[in-house]
Each structure stands twice: as structure tokens, then as C-alpha cells.
Amino acid sequence: MVLHGAGDSVENMISEIAVETTADQNGVVVAVPAGVDNGWNDEDPPGGDLADDVGFIDALVTELKVAYPSLPSDKIFVHGFSNGGGLATRLACESSQIRGVGVIGNYYMSVGGECPRPTGEEIPGWFGAGVEDELVLVETVREAMSDYATDLTDCTGEGSLETVEVAGMADGVLCKQLSDCDAVRLCEYADRGHEVLPGAVGAAWRFLSEAVDANAN
């Protein structure tokens, strides 16, 4: 599932990330829902004018499971850009159906300082950051990696970020993982700002799928 950023239209998101190509190449079902006024409630509990977007995505996943009975429950991932990425990390903490998250142009922050990890299982995370992003600084994303690992994986989060070789990534993309954790990855895109990053959805899918398979084995 792909969540666009605030102000972005669903049509623009579909065009920018080549949803159909990603789905065809990986044999997956991709849903691109629209939030209220093309944005998502990525931090605050619902109430008043704040939408229950966690509940909305959970209900949508339930409908997709009915429509596609063969959909594997352990490979239901959400991928979001900007405040859609913020909602993705909320879902990691609050949804019992999401098994992995991809985040672009945002960072992990538990809502209210808590992340209950509802399934008790690891929720691998793939983060993409533009090195020139002036809205969400890459340093902030790096600093949040250890918190994500501690809260949502079985890792300690105490390792340092180290460069890893990743096949198929474009030139100018440097991927890193914590030295004690292969369930969380950060890929930094040189000369890119606060934008949808090319190839990110496919890269996130491959990483999350492999991480889930490795955990199952």
C-alpha cells in the first residue's frame, strides 16, 4: 500500500512511482488510497477534525484480504512519502495487520512516546532519505534508526550505521544498516530533496519481503 504526502494527488503519486510496473514486476497488489484533503493524520490521535487514518487503513486491508484471499498476511506492507511516511510509522506501532513499512522523507517517531508493537513480531523498516532534503534532514532520519530498531525489531539498536552493498540501486544511493540489525535499512539518495525517490517502492518491497522471509526461517 502506498501513501502519498500531504498535498500530493493520488494521480501524481501513481505516475511518479510507476505503481503498475512495481506491481507487475513483483507480483503484488498495490493500493494507493487518498487521505482527507490529500493528507494523513500522521501524529495525533483521532478526534474532532483529526481522521482515524490507522483505522481507515486497517479497514482497507481487511477489504483487500476478502477481495484477494490468497494475499499472504505476512507480506502486507505500507510505503509512504512525507506525512504518508509518518502514517506508515504510526501503522508499524498501532496496526495488527502491517508487517513492514517503507518511509520516504520522514523518520520514526512513536506517538506519545509509546510503540506497543501490537503483533509482538518484528516489523522491518526501509527508510529512504534525500541528502539535500531541507524539510526532513537526513541526520534526523539517521538518528531515529536506533529507536525504530529497539521498538519494532528484536535488535538492541545499539549498533552504528554501516554501509551495505545493495544490488540494483541507482548510482548515488548509499544504503546503511545498524551493525547489529539487518531488519532496518536506510538508503540515502545524493542530490535529492524532499521528493518521491526513484526506485524506492521496489527497493523497499525487496528489502521488506526478504526480511520477513528471513525472520520466518
Side-chain angles (χ1 to χ4, degrees), residues 7-31:
D8 291 325
S9 70
V10 172
E11 293 78 8
N12 286 343
M13 176 62 82
I14 291 174
S15 173
E16 289 172 341
I17 64 172
V19 168
E20 293 87 351
T21 301
T22 301
D24 291 342
Q25 289 178 345
N26 296 282
V28 298
V29 175
V30 179

Side-chain angles (χ1 to χ4, degrees), residues 27-73:
V28 298
V29 175
V30 179
V32 189
V36 176
D37 296 326
N38 285 332
W40 300 101
N41 175 15
D42 60 351
E43 293 185 20
D44 300 308
D49 295 329
L50 300 174
D52 180 12
D53 284 329
V54 172
F56 167 63
I57 296 300
D58 268 343
L60 180 54
V61 170
T62 298
E63 290 185 12
L64 289 171
K65 285 181 175 179
V66 172
Y68 300 93
S70 62
L71 189 69
S73 294

Side-chain angles (χ1 to χ4, degrees), residues 49-137:
D49 295 329
L50 300 174
D52 180 12
D53 284 329
V54 172
F56 167 63
I57 296 300
D58 268 343
L60 180 54
V61 170
T62 298
E63 290 185 12
L64 289 171
K65 285 181 175 179
V66 172
Y68 300 93
S70 62
L71 189 69
S73 294
D74 64 342
K75 290 190 177 178
I76 297 177
F77 306 140
V78 61
H79 187 91
F81 163 64
S82 193
N83 88 303
L87 179 58
T89 62
R90 277 199 68 186
L91 289 162
C93 288
E94 300 177 42
S95 171
S96 62
Q97 302 194 80
I98 300 303
R99 293 295 185 270
V101 299
V103 179
I104 300 176
N106 215 316
Y107 57 93
Y108 168 67
M109 180 179 65
S110 57
V111 178
E114 297 182 356
C115 184
R117 195 171 162 185
T119 66
E121 301 176 4
E122 279 198 326
I123 308 295
W126 184 97
F127 289 76
V131 175
E132 304 300 325
D133 191 338
E134 296 182 354
L135 183 61
V136 179
L137 302 180

Side-chain angles (χ1 to χ4, degrees), residues 132-216:
E132 304 300 325
D133 191 338
E134 296 182 354
L135 183 61
V136 179
L137 302 180
V138 66
E139 291 84 0
T140 305
V141 185
R142 291 172 187 155
E143 292 170 359
M145 293 293 97
S146 59
D147 289 338
Y148 187 96
T150 300
D151 287 353
L152 286 154
T153 76
D154 295 331
C155 306
T156 65
E158 296 177 354
S160 57
L161 280 175
E162 298 180 353
T163 301
V164 293
E165 294 292 332
V166 179
M169 296 301 292
D171 293 340
V173 180
L174 184 66
C175 295
K176 304 176 180 179
Q177 291 178 194
L178 295 168
S179 55
D180 69 339
C181 189
D182 57 5
V184 184
R185 177 175 292 170
L186 166 62
C187 291
E188 301 177 3
Y189 287 62
D191 302 319
R192 293 283 181 170
H194 193 71
E195 60 189 283
V196 176
L197 302 172
V201 172
W205 161 258
R206 290 189 296 274
F207 172 74
L208 296 173
S209 183
E210 291 170 3
V212 167
D213 288 343
N215 193 44

